Amino acid sequence: AIPTALEIVDTVGYGASGPSQKQQQATAQACQQADVVLLVLHARNPARQTDLNQVKLLKEHFEKNPSLHCPPILALMTHIDLLSPALEWSPPYDWRNPMRAKEKSIAEAVLEIQAQFATFISGVIPVCTSVSKVYGINEWLLPALANVMNQAQAVAFLRCLKNEADRDKARRVFDQLLA
């Protein structure tokens, strides 16, 4: 049976200099066990080259290991409440058809991330996770997760098959040693 429990793994963050080799390896290991990866990006921080490099390294890791499959990566753009106009916070927002200034700022930030990460991500989801302003989770994150569910389930299924095959190999080696 394919596990159905929700498990969230938060990998160690990194600064502007980017992740260390150890952090890269830990992230790759965590992603090997993931069905979906949420790449958390601050809406007002345009310096995303280290994040892009990390995603590229992650994709390279999976390309070098063809028996592994890269889970879909969703960019989670946080702190949308701080986008211009910063003092305005009156959801709901329709950033897909922006009319108001905040909606336009959200839409522009989403487009910027999409342009920067191009083919490396499955989508960009704007959210606010501030305690008194939580917004975007039910509206956009959950539907985005549902949209990548088939791909996520395929990744989980292939991982299970690989694990079973690896167990069978170990069993055969052990049986041969005993014989």
Side-chain angles (χ1 to χ4, degrees), residues 2-172:
I2 295 175
T4 57
L6 175 64
E7 182 178 337
I8 297 175
V9 177
D10 186 8
T11 60
V12 177
Y14 46 85
S17 61
S20 67
Q21 184 72 21
K22 186 176 179 180
Q23 286 172 316
Q24 290 174 13
Q25 290 171 345
T27 299
Q29 291 292 323
C31 290
Q32 283 177 206
Q33 301 306 313
D35 301 339
V36 177
V37 172
L38 298 178
L39 175 66
V40 179
L41 303 170
H42 194 293
R44 289 191 52 191
N45 184 358
R48 296 191 181 100
Q49 190 59 48
T50 55
D51 298 311
L52 181 57
N53 291 343
Q54 177 64 24
V55 172
K56 286 179 179 178
L57 288 170
L58 186 60
K59 291 287 189 168
E60 288 173 13
H61 170 76
F62 282 97
E63 288 169 3
K64 289 177 186 173
N65 297 284
S67 65
L68 304 173
H69 297 275
C70 189
I73 301 171
L74 293 172
L76 195 60
M77 183 179 71
T78 63
H79 298 86
I80 63 171
D81 56 318
L82 301 178
L83 291 171
S84 178
L87 296 179
E88 176 199 321
W89 186 249
S90 56
Y93 292 109
D94 184 2
W95 58 273
R96 290 184 177 109
N97 300 298
M99 300 299 283
R100 298 184 289 165
K102 180 71 90 175
E103 292 170 337
K104 290 176 183 176
S105 291
I106 294 170
E108 289 170 9
V110 166
L111 288 173
E112 182 63 30
I113 291 173
Q114 286 173 334
Q116 288 172 326
F117 288 84
T119 61
F120 296 105
I121 59 173
S122 298
V124 180
I125 299 91
V127 298
C128 178
T129 56
S130 180
V131 175
S132 62
K133 301 178 182 178
V134 174
Y135 185 67
I137 305 299
N138 292 330
E139 297 80 3
W140 305 312
L141 177 57
L142 295 180
L145 286 170
N147 284 338
V148 297
M149 195 54 60
N150 285 342
Q151 186 181 357
Q153 288 174 329
V155 168
F157 179 69
L158 292 171
R159 185 176 51 252
C160 288
L161 288 177
K162 181 184 180 319
N163 289 342
E164 285 299 317
D166 289 348
R167 274 192 222 117
D168 286 344
K169 286 180 193 174
R171 250 185 249 129
R172 283 191 301 250

